[in-house]
Amino acid sequence: MKRNKTHKQVFWFTIINYVGVVIGVISTVFIYPYDKEFLGMVRYVDSMAQMLFPIMVFGGAQALIHFYPSLTKHNKNRLFKYGIVTVLGLSLVILVVLLFGKTFIDWDNYKYVFYAFPLAFSLAFVELFKRQATNIEKLEIPTLYEKIIPKVSLPIIFLLLIAEHLDKISALVAFIGSYFILLLLMVLYVLRHYRLHSGYNFKSLFNEVPKMEYYKYSFYSFLGSFGALFAFRIDAFMIPEFLSFEANGTFNIGVALATSLAIPATGMFAIYAPKISAYLKNDGIVELGKKYIETAKLLFFIGAILYTAVILGIESFFRMLPTYDNLVDSIPIIMLLGFNVLFNMSTGFNSEIISYSKYYRFNIIAILVLSVLNICLNLFFLTQTNLGIIGVAYASLIAMISFNCSKLIFIHKKFGILPFDKNYLKLIGMVSVVFLICYLLPENSSTVLNLLLKVGLNTCVIILVTYKMEWVYSLNYWVDKLIKPDK
């Protein structure tokens, strides 16, 4: 019964996310290309906010998942409340620092920091309330808010900008405002299902969880989150500094389409986070190992179908669109970062296993190495080559593969588990062969026919063979449930 509930959550989480993806993809290919400079500006501010909000949270969101299973009911409530207090206090400190820094820092783009701050503030609380929604197993509606509201608001803002009803600064303010609407709805939903007790005495909480242990875990989690966001958001920050906002817009069109492949992973990692924490605390390594393989295999299966479809059909699909000339430069970015996403999905919930184990400090080392590697690679490609944004994509690809390989090796060494089995390797081999055959099929003069033939054949064969061979449990579970609903 519990397993069926998990599958149901994963299913609805994925559906909600893909509704957001569909909206995002439509916006990316039909609306955003008309003003890539503003898109670059939005992503520049967003990248700053993504680096600020981990400081505001300071590991409180991760601590909420990590300590929650072992606490009494009252202290679970206090743990959540302590996270809220932490965000409020640190946000005030950051605001004072930013205002103070304005006097001494001579940097043309420093003004964008003050647009990033309120965005970061809302993101910090969204992250905290989303983690609490995960703990109480009420993730579907918060996910709906998080994935749909920004995806709907940004294209509306773009259309108003294109129609000259807004200037760029007003549009940027409206974009930030949409996140406060998201935050308000999420807070109201979570508090409707989880009542906060009055009072701000946290003594009993820190009697059950030693304060030093809490702060130590939060600090390492903060460093890990900050390093990861810094490492993977640094491109949107560096491109405008070395190239232009327009180049940043082109790159982010590619990023938006490539990262849409990762939606199933995002949902599964969020839903399984409390379970991973519980397995580790209860020494359920054998069961954890089984889930590790099962989820990695499922995510590779989904990711491989999506990524091979992109490789086989992206050029034909873009040629059918009126915005082709504005989109074509993003194709290499989509292919490189799409493989990046596929590799990350195929290795399962590596980060979650490490984050919720006693070895969580390893994440800090790996993240710091990753940050330095990614920044150095970005600097190299941007200053020493003529590759431009394609070089930035190569930098991300190299850094991400190195990062995931280091986590695989570490988990195997400490826990003796890997996200692979014989059926997984057979699945990889089959997908590779089917993709190669479809790729080598002769091109058709009709763009639509070429798209449907190659992508359709590739997708159908992969799904059919995987189902018949029973390599992915969830595929057979849902297909059988659809075919034989009474069983």
Side-chain angles (χ1 to χ4, degrees):
M1 186 73 181
K2 212 168 185 182
R3 187 172 192 175
N4 290 351
K5 187 176 180 181
T6 299
H7 281 291
K8 186 179 179 181
Q9 285 188 70
V10 171
F11 174 76
W12 283 113
F13 195 105
T14 303
I15 292 297
I16 292 166
N17 274 275
Y18 270 110
V19 170
V21 167
V22 169
I23 296 169
V25 168
I26 292 170
S27 303
T28 300
V29 299
F30 289 107
I31 301 174
Y32 300 159
Y34 286 108
D35 197 333
K36 291 196 284 187
E37 183 183 8
F38 178 67
L39 179 62
M41 186 184 296
V42 166
R43 297 312 178 202
Y44 184 68
V45 170
D46 183 62
S47 68
M48 286 183 173
Q50 294 289 343
M51 288 185 276
L52 283 175
F53 98 80
I55 305 174
M56 297 174 179
V57 177
F58 203 75
Q62 293 91 332
L64 192 57
I65 295 287
H66 181 76
F67 294 108
Y68 200 85
S70 59
L71 293 175
T72 61
K73 184 178 179 181
H74 286 295
N75 282 332
K76 285 177 180 179
N77 197 282
R78 290 185 178 93
L79 180 67
F80 179 37
K81 192 185 295 182
Y82 193 75
I84 294 172
V85 171
T86 300
V87 173
L88 287 171
L90 289 175
S91 297
L92 181 60
V93 172
I94 291 168
L95 180 59
V96 171
V97 170
L98 293 178
L99 290 169
F100 186 72
K102 186 180 179 182
T103 309
F104 300 98
I105 296 174
D106 182 21
W107 174 33
D108 290 341
N109 287 336
Y110 192 77
K111 60 185 177 183
Y112 291 109
V113 171
F114 295 100
Y115 295 102
F117 175 81
L119 182 58
F121 182 82
S122 62
L123 286 171
F125 274 110
V126 165
E127 177 69 11
L128 190 67
F129 276 81
K130 185 175 69 175
R131 296 290 180 135
Q132 183 59 19
T134 303
N135 278 332
I136 63 175
E137 297 186 341
K138 295 287 184 182
L139 194 57
E140 293 93 341
I141 299 302
T143 301
L144 179 66
Y145 293 153
E146 185 188 20
K147 301 302 177 184
I148 302 301
I149 291 173
K151 292 285 171 62
V152 170
S153 61
L154 187 57
I156 291 172
I157 291 165
F158 253 88
L159 291 172
L160 291 172
L161 178 66
I162 293 166
E164 298 183 351
H165 294 302
L166 292 173
D167 57 32
K168 283 184 168 62
I169 297 301
S170 300
L172 191 57
V173 171
F175 170 71
I176 295 165
S178 69
Y179 274 86
F180 279 90
I181 294 171
L182 160 63
L183 174 59
L184 176 63
L185 291 172
M186 191 173 287
V187 169
L188 290 174
Y189 178 81
V190 172
L191 294 184
R192 191 165 75 243
H193 292 278
Y194 189 82
R195 188 167 172 264
L196 280 173
H197 301 316
S198 59
Y200 292 91
N201 188 341
F202 301 106
K203 186 176 179 181
S204 65
L205 170 63
F206 291 118
N207 283 336
E208 193 169 354
V209 176
K211 188 175 283 190
M212 184 59 69
E213 184 182 344
Y214 176 87
Y215 283 127
K216 190 177 180 182
Y217 180 82
S218 296
F219 177 69
Y220 280 112
S221 298
F222 153 70
L223 288 179
S225 297
F226 182 76
L229 288 165
F230 189 80
F232 294 112
R233 295 281 177 166
I234 196 65
D235 44 27
F237 180 77
M238 294 179 73
I239 291 170
E241 298 296 328
F242 288 91
L243 299 173
S244 65
F245 279 127
E246 185 175 353
N248 202 29
T250 301
F251 184 81
N252 276 280
I253 287 172
V255 171
L257 295 175
T259 53
S260 65
L261 304 178
I263 298 304
T266 305
M268 199 165 290
F269 294 164
I271 289 165
Y272 272 99
K275 299 177 187 296
I276 295 165
S277 181
Y279 283 138
L280 290 165
K281 285 177 175 54
N282 298 320
D283 295 323
I285 302 302
V286 174
E287 189 64 25
L288 176 63
K290 292 177 182 176
K291 293 293 181 187
Y292 193 25
I293 294 170
E294 182 184 316
T295 54
K297 199 173 359 178
L298 171 61
L299 289 173
F300 171 77
F301 168 71
I302 297 171
I305 289 175
L306 296 172
Y307 182 65
T308 53
V310 166
I311 297 296
L312 293 169
I314 193 71
E315 177 73 27
S316 297
F317 176 65
F318 279 179
R319 285 192 179 278
M320 297 163 56
L321 304 177
T323 51
Y324 173 78
D325 291 338
N326 290 327
L327 289 168
V328 67
D329 291 339
S330 297
I331 291 177
I333 309 301
I334 297 167
M335 291 183 175
L336 287 168
L337 296 185
F339 184 80
N340 201 349
V341 170
L342 176 60
F343 189 84
N344 185 45
M345 291 172 68
S346 68
T347 55
F349 38 63
N350 286 326
S351 293
E352 286 72 17
I353 291 175
I354 297 170
S355 293
Y356 301 125
S357 75
K358 63 182 180 180
Y359 303 110
Y360 57 85
R361 296 176 192 84
F362 175 80
N363 264 348
I364 311 308
I365 299 168
I367 287 290
L368 289 175
V369 172
L370 170 66
S371 300
V372 172
L373 176 62
N374 201 24
I375 292 168
C376 291
L377 287 169
N378 271 288
L379 285 171
F380 171 77
F381 283 112
L382 286 169
T383 62
Q384 303 301 314
T385 74
N386 295 319
L387 291 172
I389 56 174
I390 296 175
V392 176
Y394 276 119
S396 295
L397 179 62
I398 295 167
M400 191 63 176
I401 289 177
S402 302
F403 182 53
N404 275 299
C405 287
S406 69
K407 289 188 290 183
L408 278 175
I409 294 166
F410 183 82
I411 290 171
H412 183 253
K413 183 178 177 182
K414 296 297 181 182
F415 299 101
I417 56 176
L418 282 171
F420 310 113
D421 61 7
K422 288 182 180 178
N423 286 341
Y424 195 164
L425 298 177
K426 290 176 184 176
L427 179 63
I428 293 172
M430 182 272 293
V431 168
S432 301
V433 170
V434 172
F435 166 71
L436 186 61
I437 291 171
C438 292
Y439 184 79
L440 294 174
L441 286 174
E443 295 288 323
N444 195 287
S445 56
S446 169
T447 304
V448 177
L449 189 59
N450 191 61
L451 178 65
L452 293 176
L453 180 64
K454 289 196 171 189
V455 174
L457 181 63
N458 177 76
T459 302
C460 290
V461 172
I462 290 174
I463 292 173
L464 182 62
V465 174
T466 304
Y467 175 76
K468 288 294 184 182
M469 299 304 295
E470 298 183 353
W471 285 336
V472 176
Y473 170 82
S474 293
L475 175 66
N476 288 79
Y477 173 86
W478 284 108
V479 171
D480 290 344
K481 195 171 181 64
L482 188 64
I483 297 173
K484 310 164 189 175
D486 297 331
K487 291 192 177 182

